[in-house]
Structure formats: C-alpha cells, structure tokens
Amino acid sequence: MIASFFYLSSGLFMGWSLGANDAANIFGTAVGTKMVRFTTAAIICSLFILLGAVLSGAGTTETLSTLGSITALPGAFIVALSSALTIMWMTKTGIPVSTSQAIVGAILGWNIFSGISIDFSILFRVVGAWVFTPILAAGFSFGLYFIFKYLLEHVKIHMFRLDLILKICLLAAGAFGSYSLGMNNIANVVGVFMASSPFVDIQIGDLFILTGAQQMLFLGGASIALGVITYSKRVMMTVGSNLYKLSPVTALIVVLSSSLVLFLFASEGLQGWLIAAGLPALPLVPVSQSQGVVGAISGIGIAKGGGNVNTRLLGKIFVGWMLTPLSAGILSYISLFIMQNVFMQNVM
Amino acid sequence: MSKSKSLQHEIDLYLKCISRASLIFLEGAKDAFKSDYEDAEIRYREIAVIEKDADNHLKKIQYELYAYNIAPDSRADIFELLDDLDDIVDSAKKIIFQICVEKPLIPDSMKEDYIAITEASVGAADILIQGVRAFFEDINTLEGYVDNVYLYEKKADNLEEKIKKSIFHTDEVKELARKFQLRYYCEKFALISDLAEEAAKNMLMYKIKRII
C-alpha cells in the first residue's frame, strides 16, 4: 500500500500544483481587488472542485484512460512525473502552460515506449479541443461583453448596490468555475492511474458502494483542493494586482467564459443531450483553463476594438501547443526507459 | 439600516453640507462686494460650522468604506472625489475670511463682474455636486454634468480676463498695491471653478476605470 501511495504521489503533486495555479484564474481578480476574501474564495473553490471531480470527472478521465491504458503503477507514476516536470520547466520560460497538453504528451511517450498503437481518432479530438478552447472562450467573452455592456449602460443602479451584486456574481461564477475545473481537469491528475488503481470498492452500510474510481477521483480532487488552500493566495494576489489587471466586471466575464468552455468539454450530461437531440457533441477532453482565460481576455480585447489583443501572448500559446506535449513525450520516454532498465520496474 | 444604506445616507448628508456651503459662500461674497463686512463675517462663521460638520461626515464615510469593505475596487477614488469637494469648501472659507480681514475697496464699475465671476464659480461647484450624486446613482449620465462644469469654468475664466484687464486699464484704481489686491481676489473667486473643473476631470477618470 505504501508503494502504491508513493507511485500516486506524482499525480497528487500534479493536483496540488494545479490547485495552486488555476484557482487564481477563477478567483484571482476577486481576491486581488478585495471584492472577495481569500478564505471565502478558498472554501468555495476547494468544495466545488471536489464536487466537480467526484460527481462529473469521469468523462474526461475515461478519455485519457482510453488514449493510454497504463496498467502498471510505476508506468503511471513516470507519466505523471514527466508531465509535472515539463510544466515546471515551461512555467519558468513564461509560457501559459497546459497540464492537459503535458499529460497527453507524456501518455503518447508511454504509448511509443510500450509499442502500443496510438488511437489517432481520440488524439485528433483532443488536439481539436485544445485549439478550440481559446477560440470558444474568446467567442463567449465577446458575446458576454456586449450583454454586460448593454445592461450596465441601460440599468440605473446605485454604485454600492451594483458592487454587492457583483460580489455575489463573482462568488457564483467562482463556484461554477471551480466545479468546471474539477470535472474537466481531474483527468490530468488521476486519469493515468485509473487502469492501475490500487483502490477497491467499499460498501458503505446498505447505502451505497464507493467505487475505486470514485475514491481515486476524490483523492485527486482533494489534492487540487489542498493546492488551493495552501498555496493559491500568493498566485491570486499576483493575478489580481499585476499580471492581468481586470475590473471586477471583466473578471466576471473571463471566469464565466473560460469556465463555460471547461464545462462544455467535460459534461457527460450535455454530451448525452446533444447526441439525443441529433446535434454534434463536443468530445470530453481535459483542456487548459489558463489558455481559456487568455482566449477570454482576447475576446474582450476584440470586442473593444482589437487594440488590446496581446498577439505576443497568443504566439506563446501556439509555441506551448507544440513544445509542451513534445517535451513531456520525450521526457516520459526516457524516464520510462530508466525506470524499466535501471530500477527494474514494470512500466507497462 | 444596512451598511451600504448607512454609507449612502452619510454621503448624502456630506453632499448637502457642501451644497449649503457653496450657497452661503455666494451670499458672503455678495455681502463683501457691497462692503457689508458684518454680514460677510456671519456667512464666514456659518461656512466654518458647515465645514466642520462636513469633515465629520467625511471621516465617517472613510471609516465605513474601509471597515465594511464597500466598493473595494473604487473606494480610493470615491474618497479622493469627496475630498476634492472638501477642498472647495476649504478654499471658499479662506476666501471669505481673507476678504473680511482685508476689506478691499472694489470700484463700483467692477462689482457686477465680481458677482458674475463668483456666480460662475459657485455654478461650477453646484453642477459638480450634482455630478457626484450621478456618479453614485446613475453613472451613465455623468458626462452631461462634467460638460456643464467645464462650461461654467470657461465662463469664470473669461470673466477673470475681463476683470483683470479692467483693473489694470482703469483710472479708478491708481495704486499698484490696490491693483494687485483686486487681481488677487479676482483669481481667488475664479479658483473655486478651477477646483470644480479639476474634480470633474478626476471624476470622469474614475468613471472610465469602472467601465468594463
């Protein structure tokens, strides 16, 4: 059991860093501008991430498991560790890095190392989702910008009342954003461990069975929540005051737009409904929230006349799309080789 | 009363103080131009009482803004804006005090212009106060008030030029010291409109910061 937890640690570290970084995308401006207290933000964020992960995280997790069904824990450990190290390195270079792209790259590295053929139909869906994430977020924020602008220009409301409404909206949007983050990005944390999960189903009285998968999703969700509670404050203060200086209304639009994208790419219910209605459904794929945020900010920039779009940042995202999976894949391949041949562990 | 309601009430009381002070300033100035310095001194004391009252309201507003975390993103701007109004009352009080002490002799031919420049200045301050109310209650109508403040300030500027020319081109005032004294008061009465214009400019900037 100790060995199992050791191997799970790389995934949990991924979860912790995801919570520490991505909570700032949801509550950064609200906390940085002191509209919402950090304690309130951290409690709501942790709770809803956990709920999203456990209740709705299965869809994207299954996609990653299908892309690379890693049945040996040491192999899953290396895949998660390689993507975590890639993220650390890419973050240092200042590229808005995606956990999803790193983990997919590392899985592909495992596929190549194991000699297992890559399911290109799933891979194309995954890559397509990455490309569409900032585009969709920009589209949503573009539309929302005009709706909010119209409302603010046509509704006579006292500044203090508007401020109170904004606070409530930021909290509600933050809860939705946290839920979406949990349901979409939990796959990055535990997806590679699903096929080799050390957990067994637990019968809770006569009430229900807590499956091994649910326990894994809960553990992953808890690691993200821990990242939020222990380390996200510093990042939030940076986001709120330095990096992206947004007004509370703009922040609300950005959080709603990026969260909506994460929700669309993770909701099994919505996918089922779209298929039943004969409409094209979006694939359940873990996507990058940070890139969604950049897309949403660009959407507002375009809505304002295009002058504020940071083409340099968009260029960096494009570089990230290429470099992140490639680096994670190579690192994963080399590390798997070392794990198998130096540490004599079965990685397949 | 909720915290934001209580703050709204406090701001309302503060704005009433500023509005009353500007009207009394106009009356005090008119008294001084008629050389009725006894009445002007009474107006000065009234303004001093109102200013003290306004200061107390301003302290309460500052406390409530920060203690209850109301409008955290705009509270510094709100406080700056209300403080700008306090500066106007402060200047008005000083001008009336000084004119009561120095008792300058204003030539009859210039009295009307002095009254007109004071009215233009007070007009700018009054429109500014209405604009500040709009800043809180209906921010989309703010530009109209700001434009009117600019209009009154321009009027005060034109009158200032006219009065200065009269002072230095007339034979009614012969001593250079007296010419300087009259010019000084002309500038002081126009100053109220300058302060109002500066506050209006700042207010517009605070509005832009709130636009999405």
Side-chain angles (χ1 to χ4, degrees), chain A residues 69-77 110 192 195-196 346-348:
Chain A
S69 186
I70 308 167
T71 47
L73 258 179
F77 167 78
W110 178 86
V192 291
S196 57
N346 178 26
V347 294
M348 289 182 276

Side-chain angles (χ1 to χ4, degrees), chain A residues 33-35 145 148-149 152-160 162-163 167 247-250 253 304, chain B residues 4 7-8 11 65 68-75 78 135-140 209-212:
Chain A
T33 56
K34 298 186 174 65
M35 291 284 279
Y145 172 81
F148 275 86
K149 194 171 187 286
L152 289 170
E153 280 175 2
H154 290 85
V155 179
K156 188 183 167 185
I157 189 165
H158 196 284
M159 181 195 277
F160 298 153
L162 179 66
D163 182 66
K167 262 185 202 175
S247 74
V249 182
T250 321
I253 296 172
K304 281 180 171 176
Chain B
S4 68
L7 181 61
Q8 276 179 47
I11 289 173
L65 269 175
Y68 304 136
N69 200 29
I70 296 169
D73 203 39
S74 307
R75 60 188 173 196
I78 293 171
F135 178 74
F136 289 107
E137 290 164 14
D138 189 8
I139 202 161
N140 295 308
K209 278 164 80 178
R210 284 188 70 85
I211 295 174
I212 59 168

Side-chain angles (χ1 to χ4, degrees), chain A:
Chain A
M1 199 62 188
I2 292 168
S4 298
F5 272 101
F6 170 76
Y7 288 130
L8 284 175
S9 65
S10 60
L12 299 180
F13 173 65
M14 283 268 286
W16 179 85
S17 58
L18 196 123
N21 281 299
D22 284 17
N25 289 334
I26 301 167
F27 277 110
T29 302
V31 172
T33 56
K34 298 186 174 65
M35 291 284 279
V36 175
R37 280 188 303 174
F38 173 73
T39 319
T40 314
I43 292 169
I44 290 176
C45 196
S46 310
L47 185 71
F48 279 88
I49 281 175
L50 210 56
L51 282 173
V54 177
L55 299 179
S56 313
T60 52
T61 308
E62 199 187 319
T63 305
L64 280 199
S65 306
T66 318
L67 192 64
S69 186
I70 308 167
T71 47
L73 258 179
F77 167 78
I78 287 296
V79 167
L81 187 67
S82 305
S83 48
L85 292 173
T86 307
I87 289 162
M88 271 176 70
W89 173 63
M90 296 289 280
T91 306
K92 276 192 174 179
T93 62
I95 295 168
V97 66
S98 160
T99 319
S100 317
Q101 288 162 3
I103 200 85
V104 167
I107 290 172
L108 294 181
W110 178 86
N111 276 333
I112 294 165
F113 182 81
S114 311
I116 295 167
S117 60
I118 297 163
D119 188 337
F120 280 100
S121 67
I122 293 179
L123 187 64
F124 284 136
R125 270 186 279 161
V126 168
V127 174
W130 293 347
V131 176
F132 274 103
T133 297
I135 295 170
L136 266 178
F140 285 135
S141 69
F142 185 86
L144 283 171
Y145 172 81
F146 287 106
I147 293 170
F148 275 86
K149 194 171 187 286
Y150 180 84
L151 283 173
L152 289 170
E153 280 175 2
H154 290 85
V155 179
K156 188 183 167 185
I157 189 165
H158 196 284
M159 181 195 277
F160 298 153
R161 193 169 168 74
L162 179 66
D163 182 66
L164 188 70
I165 294 169
L166 262 177
K167 262 185 202 175
I168 295 166
C169 288
L170 280 169
L171 284 173
F176 172 62
S178 306
Y179 188 88
S180 303
L181 180 69
M183 73 196 280
N184 187 292
N185 276 21
I186 188 67
N188 300 331
V189 179
V190 297
V192 291
F193 295 98
M194 277 302 181
S196 57
S197 170
F199 295 107
V200 290
D201 295 357
I202 303 169
Q203 175 84 38
I204 311 282
D206 288 334
L207 296 170
F208 61 92
I209 296 170
L210 196 63
T211 64
Q214 282 171 329
Q215 292 170 57
M216 188 66 107
L217 290 170
F218 180 83
L219 191 68
S223 72
I224 302 175
L226 194 70
V228 173
I229 293 163
T230 56
Y231 208 75
S232 68
K233 189 174 184 178
R234 207 178 292 190
V235 188
M236 280 188 194
M237 289 308 179
T238 310
V239 169
S241 57
N242 294 327
L243 200 55
Y244 304 115
K245 184 81 179 147
L246 302 176
S247 74
V249 182
T250 321
L252 182 64
I253 296 172
V254 168
V255 172
L256 280 176
S257 309
S258 55
S259 305
L260 214 52
V261 175
L262 260 68
F263 183 83
L264 289 178
F265 280 117
S267 173
E268 286 178 295
L270 183 74
Q271 192 191 45
W273 182 81
L274 286 170
I275 290 168
L279 294 165
L282 289 169
L284 304 179
V285 173
V287 291
S288 165
Q289 200 205 27
S290 305
Q291 292 178 5
V293 165
V294 172
I297 292 172
S298 303
I300 293 172
I302 294 164
K304 281 180 171 176
N308 294 334
V309 178
N310 191 340
T311 43
R312 230 183 117 105
L313 196 59
L314 291 179
K316 272 190 168 185
I317 291 183
F318 187 71
V319 171
W321 279 342
M322 303 291 141
L323 217 56
T324 310
L326 194 69
S327 315
I330 294 168
L331 186 64
S332 169
Y333 187 93
I334 296 168
S335 308
L336 287 164
F337 180 83
I338 294 169
M339 192 68 160
Q340 183 173 268
N341 298 299
V342 178
F343 295 100
M344 301 296 175
Q345 295 293 319
N346 178 26
V347 294
M348 289 182 276

Side-chain angles (χ1 to χ4, degrees), chain B residues 43-80:
Chain B
R43 305 292 186 201
Y44 160 70
R45 279 194 285 274
E46 281 177 9
I47 295 175
V49 170
I50 294 170
E51 199 219 3
K52 202 173 172 190
D53 198 18
D55 277 348
N56 288 335
H57 288 304
L58 194 60
K59 275 179 203 157
K60 276 188 198 165
I61 290 165
Q62 187 183 24
Y63 173 77
E64 288 187 18
L65 269 175
Y66 284 87
Y68 304 136
N69 200 29
I70 296 169
D73 203 39
S74 307
R75 60 188 173 196
D77 294 345
I78 293 171
F79 188 72
E80 279 293 317

